Amino acid sequence: MGILLRKAIEKKRNFLINKLINKGVYKKNDIHLFELTLTDLENEYIKISKIEEKESDDHHSPCLKIHFI
């Protein structure tokens, strides 16, 4: 593998690890983030982002709740 490709992969791994740590994720199934592959980190970041997006939509969606007594 070329040096540039290796550096690019490591840069992206570090970027994703920092993003996940900022979101409060430090491990996945008792495995530290730095032990995960780039693909695993990307998948975890996508999963966490989708969960946050859904939670954000739930809090901001206008809804009318009717309570019957």
Side-chain angles (χ1 to χ4, degrees):
M1 186 181 329
I3 294 172
L4 290 176
L5 181 57
R6 191 174 300 133
K7 284 184 179 184
I9 290 170
E10 193 60 31
K11 186 175 181 179
K12 185 154 187 183
R13 283 185 78 250
N14 288 333
F15 173 81
L16 290 169
I17 288 169
N18 287 327
K19 286 289 195 180
L20 287 166
I21 288 172
N22 287 334
K23 292 177 182 285
V25 177
Y26 303 97
K27 290 183 176 182
K28 180 183 178 187
N29 300 328
D30 291 331
I31 300 172
H32 292 279
L33 295 178
F34 67 88
E35 297 176 275
L36 298 175
T37 66
L38 176 58
T39 302
D40 290 335
L41 291 167
E42 288 172 330
N43 290 337
E44 189 66 17
Y45 182 74
I46 290 167
K47 183 177 92 175
I48 296 298
S49 296
K50 285 181 181 179
I51 290 169
E52 285 183 341
E53 183 179 309
K54 184 180 180 330
E55 288 174 353
S56 177
D57 288 347
D58 290 346
H59 291 292
H60 293 99
S61 63
C63 71
L64 177 63
K65 293 185 179 180
I66 302 174
H67 298 280
F68 294 98
I69 300 178

